[in-house]
Amino acid sequence: MSKLKEELERFKPESESELKERFEWLAEVFLYGGYISVSDYKEERYRIFIRTVEFYCHHEGDEKDLPKDPIVYHRNGHYVEGEVPYFPLMSFHAHASGYDITFENKNLQLRSSALIRAYEVYDVLKNTFLHYDRKKKLFVSCNDSKDRVNKQSTYLYDFLNGFGGDNIKWVDTPITEQHQELKPAQRQNVYSYKYDEDKKDWIKQNTKDPREWSFTRLDEIKNIPD
């Protein structure tokens, strides 16, 4: 079993208070323990290395200690009336804000996912990194380590569009290198929500969500696995 899949399978929080620590451990695996391999029907074409990962976790049940995070796209009563089925573990979910790797749990009624907020694209055939050029509206070659980090998560959705699900997969790599400490931060453009009993719906507030569920890799990606 994949190392990442094994860690996500173990994700069974008993309270929201423990999530920050659990997400920090998972972030190390997402940021240093592998990459997303993208292939056509003949060979590997690209590798996506995650530089910032944001976690989302929403409990569909009534337990007060478990997290409520109604901003998640894939949940009951959001876009589709009533209940929606749970994703299989480690499903890739493309949506309006970018690309998720999901780890939902039907038994625990948890909708959990990791949004790829920032990333680097490596072109395997051309042996070069790619950066999105806003003027050309294309991903172009860029080996300058300062410029090759793409922070537009929505562009990843466009980049991967057209590749079939079987051609996009996670590949584990050993976490052998020493790296800088991961410091948690607030998620980007995420606001607090309050449940309105009269409307039976979650209402967006004017305050930012204080939960620090975002983690960024500060170290450069220097070694490309064979």
Side-chain angles (χ1 to χ4, degrees):
M1 180 184 292
S2 160
K3 170 68 174 176
L4 177 59
K5 190 171 185 177
E6 182 179 325
E7 294 299 330
L8 295 180
E9 197 171 55
R10 292 177 180 174
F11 182 76
K12 298 176 181 179
E14 296 181 357
S15 67
E16 180 171 336
S17 60
E18 67 184 72
L19 282 181
K20 185 176 177 181
E21 182 178 351
R22 283 177 173 264
F23 285 150
E24 185 170 359
W25 168 244
L26 287 178
E28 182 174 328
V29 184
F30 275 106
L31 299 173
Y32 292 95
Y35 58 88
I36 297 171
S37 174
V38 184
S39 303
D40 57 22
Y41 294 100
K42 295 181 179 180
E43 58 191 335
E44 185 181 37
R45 295 295 306 275
Y46 306 104
R47 294 179 181 179
I48 311 296
F49 295 90
I50 304 175
R51 293 299 299 264
T52 297
V53 60
E54 288 184 354
F55 292 100
Y56 294 79
C57 186
H58 179 72
H59 181 248
E60 299 278 21
D62 298 324
E63 286 85 346
K64 294 182 179 179
D65 290 339
L66 289 174
K68 298 298 182 183
D69 198 21
I71 195 173
V72 300
Y73 283 92
H74 193 247
R75 65 172 175 82
N76 294 341
H78 194 209
Y79 294 128
V80 178
E81 186 176 3
E83 297 186 2
V84 297
Y86 286 78
F87 282 134
L89 188 67
M90 279 191 73
S91 295
F92 291 98
H93 179 213
H95 52 75
S97 294
Y99 228 82
D100 284 353
I101 299 176
T102 65
F103 46 111
E104 300 187 346
N105 189 314
K106 182 179 180 180
N107 293 331
L108 298 179
Q109 296 180 278
L110 281 178
R111 308 284 188 175
S112 305
S113 62
L115 171 68
I116 304 169
R117 174 61 71 182
Y119 54 95
E120 293 189 41
V121 178
Y122 180 73
D123 189 318
V124 176
L125 300 184
K126 295 181 179 179
N127 192 29
T128 183
F129 282 92
L130 305 178
H131 180 76
Y132 188 81
D133 187 312
R134 293 191 178 188
K135 292 183 179 179
K136 295 181 179 180
K137 296 183 178 180
L138 294 170
F139 279 90
V140 298
S141 297
C142 176
N143 280 312
D144 188 330
S145 59
K146 295 181 180 179
D147 295 331
R148 71 190 192 197
V149 179
N150 298 280
K151 298 181 179 180
Q152 306 88 357
S153 56
T154 54
Y155 295 161
L156 184 59
Y157 173 91
D158 295 332
F159 182 81
L160 294 175
N161 186 32
F163 289 95
D166 293 338
N167 302 107
I168 302 173
K169 62 181 181 179
W170 175 265
V171 176
D172 286 318
T173 57
I175 305 178
T176 57
E177 60 184 290
Q178 295 293 320
H179 57 79
Q180 297 183 40
E181 180 181 358
L182 293 175
K183 295 184 178 180
Q186 289 176 273
R187 296 172 295 178
Q188 185 176 327
N189 300 323
V190 176
Y191 286 81
S192 298
Y193 281 75
K194 184 178 180 180
Y195 191 75
D196 190 308
E197 291 290 349
D198 295 329
K199 295 181 179 180
K200 302 299 180 183
D201 197 8
W202 292 95
I203 307 301
K204 182 179 178 180
Q205 307 298 294
N206 292 323
T207 56
K208 290 244 180 124
D209 188 303
R211 291 174 289 195
E212 296 181 323
W213 291 354
S214 176
F215 301 86
T216 296
R217 171 176 177 157
L218 301 177
D219 315 75
E220 292 182 12
I221 296 172
K222 297 180 180 179
N223 299 316
I224 304 300
D226 296 330

